[in-house]
Amino acid sequence: MAEYVFAPPSLPVVPVEGEGGEALGGFPVRRILCVGRNYAAHRREMGGDDREPPFFFSKPADAVVPPGRDPAYPPRTANLHHEIELVVAIGGAGRDLAVGEALGVVYGYAVGVDLTRRDLQSAAKDKGQPWDASKGFDDSAPISAIRRWRGPAPQGRIALSVNGTVKQEATAADMIWNVAEIVSEASKLWALAPGDLIYTGTPEGVGPLAKGDRVEGEVEGVGSLSFVVA
Ligand code: MN
């Protein structure tokens, strides 16, 4: 085939740290899957039905905001919300994975924020329309460095503060679908491949962000992230 008609876009890349915190290189992002309604208390605060299982939506790969960069406040919203989430970084290929083999394709974990135009999401829900504009916008997926990780998934504290005030606090063990179940479910819907990221859902306490707010998030044992809404 002839050469590209314009320069191909550069891949979004997230830095990787080893189990001791040493720099291992860059994780090229292939796509971003997200889980909705994966903590019971958040499902209730969003008006959800307790019998409704979690579900997936997605963001484009270039929505990631790697550490050291600040996300821009997006246009066309007056209600930008924070959602702190444990992020699974996929390093192996797999489809139709059983729960018992799902952790075998996990490369590591990161701390992420699923930024949401809540007003557009509410309007989309009312009209039965897709969530892309409310979830998959530019700079909608801030993320920490990815921590290389082997063995059982993180179970510790997950928390987010805005300007020093804690707004969300739970433990990753509170998830309705655990990491192995999420990866198994995802692999039955899509062929997973190295470079996939899965945002695993947020606990209760989501709320609005304004320009200039400083956001700090952490997952115990995995790491932390910090940014200012630009
Ligand atoms: Mn979310």
Side-chain angles (χ1 to χ4, degrees):
M1 199 201 296
E3 290 184 16
Y4 294 116
V5 296
F6 54 86
S10 56
L11 276 174
V13 177
V14 179
V16 177
E17 294 179 351
E19 283 148 302
E22 72 280 15
L24 289 185
F27 182 96
V29 180
R30 175 175 180 260
R31 79 177 150 195
I32 304 173
L33 302 174
C34 304
V35 181
R37 309 256 170 108
N38 199 28
Y39 289 78
H42 173 64
R43 184 167 59 185
R44 285 193 292 273
E45 82 179 343
M46 298 304 294
D49 184 326
D50 274 359
R51 294 162 300 183
E52 176 197 16
F55 54 86
F56 291 96
F57 59 93
S58 68
K59 295 176 186 261
D62 64 4
V64 292
V65 182
R69 203 156 74 64
D70 292 321
Y73 194 98
R76 303 289 290 273
T77 184
N79 197 19
L80 178 69
H81 269 206
H82 56 77
E83 298 190 355
I84 186 74
E85 311 204 355
L86 172 68
V87 181
V88 183
I90 301 294
R95 59 173 54 174
D96 289 324
L97 298 171
V99 172
E101 59 187 356
L103 294 184
V105 299
V106 173
Y107 179 86
Y109 296 91
V111 184
V113 178
D114 167 16
L115 291 175
T116 303
R117 286 161 161 158
R118 192 71 75 201
D119 41 4
L120 297 193
Q121 187 194 31
S122 297
K125 285 180 187 171
D126 289 346
K127 295 174 184 163
Q129 292 178 345
W131 286 11
D132 302 57
S134 65
K135 288 291 197 180
F137 52 91
D138 297 342
D139 285 1
S140 60
I143 191 167
S144 71
I146 292 165
R147 172 84 60 179
R148 183 78 169 110
W149 193 287
R150 295 175 179 83
Q155 298 283 300
R157 179 177 185 265
I158 177 169
L160 178 141
S161 68
V162 180
N163 301 323
T165 302
V166 175
K167 301 289 188 182
Q168 296 187 265
E169 187 170 28
T171 76
D174 294 334
M175 292 195 292
I176 295 170
W177 281 349
N178 65 31
V179 170
E181 291 167 334
I182 289 167
V183 172
S184 171
E185 281 287 330
S187 78
K188 292 171 182 171
L189 289 161
W190 299 278
L192 299 179
D196 290 349
L197 296 175
I198 308 177
Y199 282 58
T200 60
T202 197
E204 70 274 25
V206 300
L209 292 171
K211 282 182 190 172
D213 280 349
R214 169 162 289 283
V215 176
E216 292 172 306
E218 66 164 292
V219 176
E220 188 179 348
V222 173
S224 60
L225 99 182
S226 174
F227 61 83
V228 173
V229 182

